[in-house]
Amino acid sequence: MNSLAGKRIVLGVSGGIAAYKAVEVCRRLMDAGTHVIPVLTNGATRFVGRATFDALASEPVRMSLFDEDDPIPHTTLGQTADCVLVAPATARVIGAYAAGISSDLLTATLIATRAPVVICPAMHTEMWEHPAVADNIATLVKRGVSIVGPESGRLAGGDEGAGRLSSPADIVAEVDRVLDFSGRRLDMGGLSVVVTAGGTREPIDPVRYIGNRSSGKQGYAFAEEAAARGAEVTLVSTVDRPGPLGPTVAPGVTVVRVNTAEEMAVATAEAAKEVDVVIMAAAVADFRPVDPAGVKIKKSDGVPAIQLEPTPDILAGLGASKPEGQILVGFAAETCDVADNAAAKLSGKCADYIVANDVAAENVGFACDTNEVTVLASDGRVRPVGLRSKRQVARAVLDLVMEDRADAREENQ
Ligand code: PMT
């Protein structure tokens, strides 16, 4: 939590049932040593009282654009904030912010700030999935606003579905991450990066394929982490961005969609020709049907004998023809003998690093939101990265890559 201490955070609270959870967000931010200035909308006070935030936060609650002590409170708040956080953010606040409309102190502060903004949507599923809200979220993502959640779960009125506010812990972690970024220089500025994501699909016939459980979450996390650090990223992926944002991707990331290992091999080889860093997080099929049927195989024809052949090994191909200075990061998804198998892939595929994934462990590897890895470097160093979000795993791996790159450049001077 070192990025939070001493920072000024405007905590915007808008009018939804999840407003009560903003109290916990406020408390956690205070515990982390931040200076919290609560800005409530009129709607928020229908769900939670001003007195609660007055008692907990660093300053009394602000609600009005017409403050007796400060004639222009929104610009004062916007200019002095290190981060503006809105939790919960209703469809109205999201829409106003996306459209540049300032109808109250909170929306005016959002438009009057150059500080990073974190928006935590919370609303009913029908509203969250409405195309207008989806478009507004896409607009904010393109502008570099950080969106946390929403999660799926129980909603007001006993309904279930997408739209529940993310947990206070996740919200505070994102503010911490955003502040950490705004405090550091963009250490990947000027670099080009290729990332692969998702599991390939090898057709058996026009409706069936051989696939795997990769969701693309780890690959997208790498792409977005590298882009947030200033890199130009090409993401070769079999899937849309997993999670509520759907196909919307962060600025600086260009997505090339593929399906099969062959398509991924072609797209990756093309994209990786002159880039600085390649990260192979995709789960590429090792085998594919030799001769996929042209029409759907009929059950009545009996169990088909499907003959398989190896797919191209994309990572090994890139390793064999790696341009001078390019950094190649492969993965190893293993269920046993993880260290030995990963070490064999490191040398066998001529990678600079292998990120070893024990995918048999709980909350690790395929489809979940967290990961735990060990990074093996080609010079024999081993760096464990304990269980954390996939974004934090990406961050730790890129930290190592960038540290080593800086050391190598210093040695060569
Ligand atoms: O997508 P998620 O749900 O977030 O899950 C993340 C993940 C588990 C998929 C990811 O963390 C991971 O481990 N990715 C590598 C999966 C994999 O295919 O591992 P592998 O040990 O089979 O392959 C080793 C390396 O060679 C990988 O970098 C792979 O991309 C590459 N490979 C494999 C086969 C092939 N034909 N061509 C390749 O380039």
Side-chain angles (χ1 to χ4, degrees), residues 77-268:
L77 287 169
Q79 286 167 358
T80 57
D82 291 302
C83 175
V84 178
L85 162 68
V86 186
T90 57
R92 180 188 72 81
V93 167
I94 290 166
Y97 182 33
I101 295 168
S102 56
S103 53
D104 55 18
L105 181 60
L106 177 56
T107 48
T109 303
L110 282 167
I111 292 163
T113 194
R114 291 193 176 146
V117 172
V118 177
I119 295 283
C120 310
M123 62 198 77
H124 250 72
T125 310
E126 293 83 349
M127 296 174 77
W128 172 246
E129 291 179 351
H130 192 284
V133 175
D135 286 352
N136 289 333
I137 289 287
T139 299
L140 296 182
V141 170
K142 281 192 204 115
R143 290 182 192 152
V145 173
S146 177
I147 310 290
V148 183
E151 293 176 355
S152 283
R154 231 176 107 206
L155 303 169
D159 290 341
E160 293 264 342
R164 195 171 65 166
L165 185 71
S166 287
S167 73
D170 284 352
I171 291 169
V172 173
E174 179 61 9
V175 175
D176 185 21
R177 189 190 69 74
V178 161
L179 284 170
D180 189 11
F181 271 124
S182 63
R184 16 162 131 186
R185 68 195 167 84
L186 296 175
D187 65 345
M188 297 187 80
L191 296 188
S192 48
V193 175
V194 169
V195 181
T196 63
T200 60
R201 296 172 170 191
E202 311 302 329
I204 295 170
D205 67 17
V207 298
R208 304 179 178 94
Y209 60 82
I210 296 176
N212 61 65
R213 292 172 45 225
S214 170
S215 63
K217 286 179 183 174
Q218 186 63 80
Y220 271 83
F222 267 99
E224 290 177 359
E225 174 73 13
R229 291 163 81 147
E232 270 303 313
V233 181
T234 302
L235 177 64
V236 182
S237 177
T238 61
V239 287
D240 276 345
R241 188 187 191 285
L245 298 185
T248 304
V249 284
V253 180
T254 304
V255 179
V256 179
R257 282 293 298 270
V258 294
N259 279 309
T260 63
E262 185 69 45
E263 288 169 12
M264 184 172 275
V266 172
T268 306

Side-chain angles (χ1 to χ4, degrees), residues 213-218 280-286 311-315 330-334 345 349 357 359 365-367 371 390:
R213 292 172 45 225
S214 170
S215 63
K217 286 179 183 174
Q218 186 63 80
M280 290 289 303
V284 187
D286 288 318
T311 55
D313 191 321
I314 307 169
L315 178 58
F331 272 68
E334 307 292 344
K345 282 178 182 163
K349 301 198 188 211
N357 233 185
V359 292
F366 292 102
N371 211 351
K390 284 185 171 169

